[in-house]
Amino acid sequence: MSRSDIRLWAVLVWLAVWQAVSMWLDSVILLVPPVKVLVRLAQLMWTAQFWQAALSSALRITSGFLLAVLAGSLLAAAASRSRRVLELLAPVMLAVRSVPVASFIILALIWFSSRNLSVLISFLMVLPVVYTSVLGGIKAVDGQLLEMASVFRVSKLRAVRYIYLPQILPFFDSACSVSVGLGWKAGVAAEVIGMPKGSVGERLQQAKVYLDTPDLFAWTLAIVALSLFFEKLILFFVKNAVPRLWRMRV
Amino acid sequence: MEKIAIVGLSKSFGGKTVFRELNLTLDSGGKTCIMGPSGAGKTTLLRILMGLECADGGIVTGLEKKRFSAVFQEERLCEYMTAPDNIRLVAPAAQSQTILRELACLGMEDCDSLPVSALSGGMRRRVSILRALAADYDVLFLDEPFKGLDDAVKMQVIAHVRERTAGKTVLFVTHDRAEAEALGAKLVMPFYTREPVGES
């Protein structure tokens, strides 16, 4: 299923089902009606605390994501050049992929403070995805074009810009698309467990403690919106700004 | 002028011998056409000379520190780039006006703003030939460069290549004797034990 499969009528049907079930249950604690969630979200959005929490979490999770994109790309480039680096990184990437995110969160809480926990967790979730995709992209670069570049003594920099990057970009694009949502989910989960002060995760945890279901739903909706916004922003940059670098005249 | 000497060159892939103990001397500053039947190892020989393949044995002299240019059997163009940009990739100093003039010489006046992926097979081939001619080189390798061109265009392109490579070292591989003659290349047939019969 892709996002283009989502139709307004289907969304409205599910909202109606949600509304009907919440009316039938008649308990705001068990299931808050969608209208109340929207009202609560609007109320929250009028407070400075909401924006502080959203910005604080967004900054940390996005930092983790960007650091992972940078590290994953550089490590993939190194691994593509050296078999030893590839072999050295293989168990690390497998471990990061396989270990449950909750284990990382608890370990990180033992080793560090909770303040920047979401940076680390977002980084760990995104790193193997970017690394694997970019490495796959580098391996898929057309060998015949590389031979051409070698015969014509095209400089390394020009080869990277005009031969490697255009062929790696679809892999990079797909990795970013998959991992930005992953980073947000894991980052918020880390904040819920670590409860760094003034974060979205702390608000979610408080909503749970006080059985404040409207707040829980409103914050969840805010997280989904923030995640989508950053996903669009990052993908816009990858799809438009990055290709401009090499679409300029050779 | 220093000659290119190939002495006792051997190459095999996975136990299958491509050629063994090949000896050949090629003139520098002239055009040489290496002819041979399909599968004889002509492309492999060019790849070894270009440094893209290692020989199992033998030595090659006269190509040290030389700058190469090539037309491969495949076009090997950057698909999303225009023809001028593909040429500039290997010849950064080439002037736009010169590139456009060269494209026009081969009947591609209006193709300079299209990505090469939008061009026909024959046009792409001409771009790959112009790219090779535009690069700074000491030795030009042509591996069946006129494949896929119709007869009229082929003769026009051969005449253009002949003119632009005057006095240059060109190693040309084909099985078409007429192409070699039109290019003014000296024929060598290291893969034949005797003169082939019925070559066109």
Side-chain angles (χ1 to χ4, degrees):
Chain A
M1 186 206 77
S2 70
R3 288 214 182 127
S4 58
D5 293 332
I6 295 173
R7 293 282 177 269
L8 182 63
W9 69 264
V11 174
L12 291 175
V13 165
W14 287 111
L15 283 174
V17 170
W18 178 5
Q19 178 71 32
V21 173
S22 66
M23 284 167 72
W24 177 66
L25 288 170
D26 195 22
S27 163
V28 173
I29 290 175
L30 278 180
L31 188 63
V32 61
V35 177
K36 273 203 171 171
V37 173
L38 287 175
V39 169
R40 183 60 190 140
L41 181 61
Q43 287 169 345
L44 283 172
M45 284 173 72
W46 280 104
T47 65
Q49 280 176 326
F50 173 88
W51 291 107
Q52 276 168 1
L55 276 175
S56 159
S57 294
L59 191 68
R60 288 194 172 87
I61 292 167
T62 307
S63 301
F65 171 83
L66 293 176
L67 284 173
V69 166
L70 184 68
S73 304
L74 291 176
L75 290 175
S80 71
R81 302 282 300 166
S82 157
R83 182 85 201 158
R84 286 263 182 252
V85 175
L86 180 78
E87 287 169 1
L88 187 69
L89 291 175
V92 179
M93 293 300 166
L94 183 67
V96 174
R97 259 180 195 283
S98 314
V99 172
V101 65
S103 304
F104 277 126
I105 295 168
I106 292 162
L107 263 178
L109 279 173
I110 294 169
W111 291 337
F112 317 107
S113 76
S114 65
R115 189 172 165 74
N116 291 319
L117 181 66
S118 52
V119 178
L120 177 70
I121 297 305
S122 165
F123 175 85
L124 287 174
M125 290 303 104
V126 174
L127 180 73
V129 180
V130 173
Y131 171 82
T132 311
S133 291
V134 173
L135 185 60
I138 295 172
K139 284 181 176 171
V141 168
D142 186 348
Q144 291 192 336
L145 280 184
L146 297 179
E147 281 189 351
M148 178 277 292
S150 139
V151 168
F152 284 107
R153 304 167 312 284
V154 175
S155 71
K156 286 265 184 286
L157 197 66
R158 286 167 74 80
V160 166
R161 186 172 162 186
Y162 297 112
I163 296 175
Y164 277 98
L165 285 182
Q167 293 185 66
I168 295 169
L169 188 71
F171 292 84
F172 182 74
D173 185 358
S174 140
C176 287
S177 174
V178 168
S179 61
V180 70
L182 203 66
W184 266 92
K185 281 179 196 155
V188 171
E191 286 183 351
V192 169
I193 297 173
M195 287 206 298
K197 205 168 165 47
S199 68
V200 169
E202 187 197 27
R203 303 284 160 184
L204 273 178
Q205 183 66 287
Q206 282 176 352
K208 181 210 122 187
V209 169
Y210 297 115
L211 293 176
D212 193 346
T213 317
D215 261 30
L216 183 66
F217 273 78
W219 276 109
T220 304
L221 198 59
I223 291 163
V224 171
L226 281 169
S227 167
L228 282 176
F229 172 74
F230 278 95
E231 183 183 330
K232 294 281 178 209
L233 190 71
I234 286 160
L235 293 184
F236 175 81
F237 178 75
V238 172
K239 280 186 199 296
N240 296 285
V242 178
R244 274 170 200 248
L245 289 173
W246 63 81
R247 279 197 192 129
M248 287 186 292
R249 290 186 77 83
V250 176
Chain B
M1 202 177 276
E2 191 185 8
K3 285 179 181 277
I4 299 164
I6 297 163
V7 183
L9 206 66
S10 302
K11 181 68 186 174
S12 56
F13 289 110
K16 186 178 179 294
T17 301
V18 181
F19 48 76
R20 187 183 295 169
E21 296 291 324
L22 186 76
N23 297 299
L24 191 60
T25 306
L26 306 166
D27 292 329
S28 279
K31 298 183 187 69
T32 307
C33 175
I34 301 169
M35 280 190 68
S38 295
K42 302 185 295 295
T43 295
T44 305
L45 175 62
L46 282 200
R47 288 178 61 79
I48 291 171
L49 297 180
M50 282 190 274
L52 297 175
E53 207 79 64
C54 286
D56 298 336
I59 53 167
V60 177
T61 58
L63 287 176
E64 301 83 3
K65 294 182 181 170
K66 291 277 197 289
R67 294 164 306 167
F68 300 151
S69 181
V71 178
F72 302 89
Q73 278 196 19
E74 315 81 15
E75 282 78 31
R76 303 197 183 192
L77 299 168
C78 292
E79 297 293 329
Y80 68 96
M81 282 185 186
T82 62
D85 281 350
N86 265 286
I87 293 168
R88 262 191 290 268
L89 179 64
V90 305
Q95 298 290 315
S96 292
Q97 288 304 314
T98 312
I99 294 172
L100 294 178
R101 198 172 55 238
E102 290 296 290
L103 284 167
C105 279
L106 295 190
M108 297 177 64
E109 292 88 351
D110 304 320
C111 306
D112 57 298
S113 58
L114 292 170
V116 291
S117 57
L119 302 181
S120 70
M123 285 174 164
R124 292 159 55 81
R125 184 120 291 256
R126 279 175 272 172
V127 173
S128 73
I129 290 168
L130 288 176
R131 177 181 64 184
L133 296 176
D136 264 341
Y137 65 89
D138 301 309
V139 183
L140 171 63
F141 296 95
L142 303 173
D143 190 358
E144 300 191 23
F146 311 117
K147 198 171 67 176
L149 297 177
D150 63 57
D151 287 345
V153 173
K154 189 193 282 186
M155 284 306 134
Q156 183 193 8
V157 173
I158 290 175
H160 187 81
V161 173
R162 184 174 183 161
E163 187 191 320
R164 293 289 187 270
T165 56
K168 301 264 194 176
T169 304
V170 179
L171 297 184
F172 171 41
V173 154
T174 185
H175 11 236
D176 187 341
R177 188 188 287 259
E179 283 181 6
E181 286 166 356
L183 195 66
K186 178 184 157 190
L187 282 176
V188 292
M189 288 174 259
F191 303 104
Y192 287 113
T193 50
R194 59 177 181 231
E195 183 75 9
V197 178
E199 285 283 348
S200 57

